[in-house]
C-alpha cells in the first residue's frame, strides 16, 4: 500500500475523535479517546498527539504514508495562521495549534471550524459526493453552515462565510433576539434551542399540548409529539421548517447551489421535517433557481467532522 | 505595442457599445452604434461585427493583438454552449452567438448576462479593483446581481447565481407579487419600478406629497422630493434602502464578501441612499460579518458592461 493517507481530528469538549481517510475521502479507521479538557491545554494537545499516533500505529499504514493532519473544532479560528482564537468547550484561547502539531508530527497540519469541516466531509464523500457546489446547514444547539464552491470550503473575506444561522429571516413582529445580539436570526427558530424555546413558550402560555406533561423538553420530544399528531408541536416543527426553507430560498438566489445538505441532531427528524422544508423552498423560490436543485440529509453523521478535517489538505 | 487587447460588447436594445481593454482592465477606447433590432437577428449580428472591426481599425492596435471578444446582454444564456436563450430587448431566441462570432472574427468569444458582466467590470477595474470577493447589486428597472469569487464570476449550478433581486425579503403582510411570480422579492421594493409603484400607491391613496403634482413619476423625482424634505418620498426611499440593507445582511451571512458594490440608475441617488443602506446593514448584521466590509458605489457607470465583457476572457 503506497497510497497517501490523511488523519482527521474532531476536537470536542468531551471526546477527541480521529480517523484515517484515503485520498478519495473514504474513512478507513476511527479511534476515540477523552479530551480531558479539565487538565488544561497542554494535556489536550498531548491527547491529540497520542490518539493520532495510536491510530496510525494500529493501522496497516506507515507513518511515512501520512501526508497531513487536519483538525476541526467549535469556535473561532485564524485559518491562515493556524491559530485557535477561541474554542470555549475545550478551553483554548489563542493557541497556535498548527505550529505546535506540525512540530510534534513533522507533517503539514490544517485547521478549520466544525461547521466548515462537516460541510467539507459531506461534500467530499457524503451527500455532496461528486457535486461542485453545495451548501450545508448543521442543525444542532445552534445553526451552523458551510459553503462549498468548486469542491472546496469557501471562507469569505474575514473567514466568516457560511454563518447561515445568522441570516435574518423572522419578521420583526415575531422576532426574538439571537445570541449574536441581532433580532430574527434563523438560529432563533430552527435550532434545537429555538425549537425547545418555542415549546416552552407554548406550555407556559397554556396551549393544549402533550408537551405540557414532560419534565424537560427536548427537540426530539417536540418532533415525536408532532408525528403523533400534537397540533402545537406540529406548528413548532412547521415554523422551524418554514424558516429553514425560506433561508434556503435566499441562499439559492445568491449561490444557486446544486445541493442543500442538512445535518446535525435536529435533521434526524427525517422526512417529516424534510418534506416541509422542500415544500416551503418550492413555494418561495423562482423556478429557474430550483431547477434540478436537491435538498438532502447528511450521510456521514458524526463522522463528517473527521472526514472533512482529513480533507482539509486536498479540499481547502 | 505588442500587448494583447480584448474587445467588450454591450448589446442593448437601442445601442451596441463596444470598447477596447488592455490586460489590466483599462478601457482604452469606446465606440457605439445603433442596434437596429427591428431589422432582425442577422442585422444585429452584422452590426456587432461592423462595430467591433471598426473600433479595432480606428485604434493603434492591430487585429492580431485582439485576443478575444466578449459580449454581455440582458436575458438568459447558456454560457457553456455560448447560446443566447432569450434576450427580449434585442429579439434573440436560441441564437448560438458564440459560434457565429467566432466564425466571423476568427477569435475566441465569450458571453454572459448584463448583471454578471457589469459585476465583473467593477471587480476588475472599478470599485472592486484588487478585491478577491465582492457582490454587486445593479438597481435599474429590476434588481440584478453578480457574485465575484476569487476575482471571477461565480455562476452556480444552473448559471443562476447572483439573482439578488429575488431574495425574499419583504414580510408576508406587506409583500406584493414580483414579476418572477413569487411574493416579497427585493426587486418589488428596491428597483426603479418598485420605487415608482410605491410613489403611485401613495399618491393614489391621497398621502400628502409633492409627488401628487407630477404628471408621471420617475425614481429620480422620488429621490429629489425626498432630498427636499417630502416625508412621503423619504419613507419610500428609506423602505427601498431598508430592504437593500437587509438583503446585504443575508448575503453577508452566506458569503462574507469584502465589498458590496451598488450600481445602476437608482444608485445615482448618492449618499442619501447609501447612508441609509449602511446604517441598516450595520443594524442587522452580526459584528464579525461586517468587520472591514465596505458598501460602495459602482465607479464605471455605463462602461461596466463593456469592461466586464472584455474581461470574460481573463476572469471567467
Amino acid at each position: 500500500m503506497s497510497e497517501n493517507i490523511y488523519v482527521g481530528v474532531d476536537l470536542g469538549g468531551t471526546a477527541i475523535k480521529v480517523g484515517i481517510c484515503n485520498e478519495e475521502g473514504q474513512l478507513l479507521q476511527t479511534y476515540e479517546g477523552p479530551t480531558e479538557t479539565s487538565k488544561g491545554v497542554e494535556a489536550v494537545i498531548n491527547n491529540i498527539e497520542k490518539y493520532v499516533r495510536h491510530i496510525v500505529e494500529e493501522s496497516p499504514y506507515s507513518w511515512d504514508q501520512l501526508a497531513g493532519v487536519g483538525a476541526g473544532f467549535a469556535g473561532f479560528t485564524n485559518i491562515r495562521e493556524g491559530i485557535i482564537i477561541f474554542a470555549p468547550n475545550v478551553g483554548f484561547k489563542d493557541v497556535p495549534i498548527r505550529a505546535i502539531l506540525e512540530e510534534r508530527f513533522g507533517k503539514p497540519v490544517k485547521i478549520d471550524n466544525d461547521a466548515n469541516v462537516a460541510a467539507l466531509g459531506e461534500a467530499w464523500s457524503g451527500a455532496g459526493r461528486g457535486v461542485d457546489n453545495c451548501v450545508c446547514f448543521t442543525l444542532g444547539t445552534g445553526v451552523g453552515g458551510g459553503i462549498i464552491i468548486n469542491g472546496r470550503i469557501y471562507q469569505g473575506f474575514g473567514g466568516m462565510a457560511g454563518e447561515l444561522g445568522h441570516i435574518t429571516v423572522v419578521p420583526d413582529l415575531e422576532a426574538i433576539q439571537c445570541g449574536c445580539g441581532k433580532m430574527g436570526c434563523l438560529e432563533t427558530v430552527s435550532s434545537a434551542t429555538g425549537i425547545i424555546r418555542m415549546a416552552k413558550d407554548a406550555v407556559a402560555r397554556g396551549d393544549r399540548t402533550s408537551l405540557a406533561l414532560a419534565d424537560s423538553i427536548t427537540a426530539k420530544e417536540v418532533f415525536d409529539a408532532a408525528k403523533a399528531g400534537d397540533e402545537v408541536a406540529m406548528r413548532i416543527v412547521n415554523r422551524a421548517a418554514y424558516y429553514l426553507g425560506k433561508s434556503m430560498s435566499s441562499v439559492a438566489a445568491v449561490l444557486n447551489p446544486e445541493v442543500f445538505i442538512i445535518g446535525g441532531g435536529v435533521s434526524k427528524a427525517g422526512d417529516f421535517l424534510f418534506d416541509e422544508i422542500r415544500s416551503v423552498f418550492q413555494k418561495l423560490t423562482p423556478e429557474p433557481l430550483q431547477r434540478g436543485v436537491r435538498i438532502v440529509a447528511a450521510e456521514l453523521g458524526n463522522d463528517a467532522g473527521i472526514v472533512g478535517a482529513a480533507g482539509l489538505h486536498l479540499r481547502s
Side-chain angles (χ1 to χ4, degrees), chain A:
Chain A
M1 284 177 293
S2 65
E3 63 180 331
N4 282 341
I5 57 163
Y6 297 86
V7 169
V9 178
D10 179 351
L11 175 56
T14 312
I16 297 170
K17 297 175 201 158
V18 298
I20 297 178
C21 284
N22 64 14
E23 286 177 316
E24 283 71 49
Q26 263 186 299
L27 183 58
L28 306 167
Q29 218 162 319
T30 61
Y31 179 73
E32 150 171 9
T35 310
E36 302 186 301
T37 304
S38 61
K39 294 191 182 167
V41 171
E42 182 64 21
V44 173
I45 293 173
N46 287 341
N47 282 337
I48 295 174
E49 183 183 357
K50 194 164 74 183
Y51 306 150
V52 170
R53 290 197 181 276
H54 176 81
I55 195 171
V56 177
E57 277 160 19
E58 297 288 294
S59 80
Y61 303 93
S62 72
W63 187 255
D64 283 349
Q65 286 177 277
L66 177 60
V69 176
F73 56 93
F76 290 100
T77 166
N78 180 329
I79 289 156
R80 221 162 295 157
E81 311 286 334
I83 297 168
I84 295 181
I85 295 169
F86 185 45
N89 64 355
V90 285
F92 279 29
K93 228 188 138 180
D94 295 320
V95 177
I97 188 78
R98 187 177 69 198
I100 294 171
L101 292 179
E102 286 189 340
E103 167 81 28
R104 294 197 183 194
F105 292 135
K107 304 282 182 182
V109 171
K110 291 202 171 199
I111 63 168
D112 208 329
N113 70 55
D114 53 349
N116 278 349
V117 296
L120 184 61
E122 289 292 339
W124 191 24
S125 70
R129 222 173 21 251
V131 166
D132 280 343
N133 304 312
C134 61
V135 171
C136 299
F137 287 76
T138 305
L139 313 179
T141 312
V143 173
I147 311 284
I148 304 295
I149 290 181
N150 295 330
R152 292 163 182 278
I153 297 172
Y154 174 73
Q155 299 287 355
F157 168 55
M160 300 294 293
E163 285 291 338
L164 306 176
H166 301 288
I167 297 179
T168 305
V169 74
V170 184
D172 290 353
L173 287 175
E174 34 174 311
I176 68 155
Q177 194 171 36
C178 179
C180 78
K182 304 293 166 185
M183 304 290 290
C185 293
L186 175 63
E187 186 162 299
T188 64
V189 281
S190 302
S191 63
T193 316
I195 289 168
I196 292 165
R197 178 190 56 77
M198 291 189 282
K200 283 185 177 162
D201 285 354
V203 170
R205 70 178 168 251
D207 286 4
R208 254 187 258 178
T209 165
S210 59
L211 297 168
L213 304 171
D215 282 342
S216 72
I217 301 175
T218 64
K220 182 173 184 310
E221 280 160 348
V222 178
F223 281 109
D224 288 345
K227 285 177 195 169
D230 184 295
E231 284 188 21
V232 170
M234 280 172 66
R235 191 158 39 78
I236 292 168
V237 170
N238 283 345
R239 195 153 181 256
Y242 177 81
Y243 288 115
L244 265 169
K246 190 175 173 187
S247 301
M248 286 178 188
S249 173
S250 288
V251 174
V254 179
L255 284 178
N256 185 209
E258 180 170 354
V259 179
F260 287 97
I261 300 171
I262 309 180
V266 174
S267 71
K268 301 217 173 76
D271 286 345
F272 190 73
L273 178 70
F274 280 77
D275 289 348
E276 185 65 23
I277 294 172
R278 289 190 190 107
S279 132
V280 172
F281 179 76
Q282 261 169 31
K283 197 173 135 242
L284 296 181
T285 313
E287 198 279 326
L289 286 167
Q290 45 176 293
R291 203 176 297 157
V293 174
R294 290 175 291 135
I295 297 176
V296 301
E299 290 178 4
L300 302 180
N302 291 331
D303 292 336
I306 301 176
V307 174
L312 286 171
H313 289 277
L314 298 167
R315 298 284 205 110
S316 72

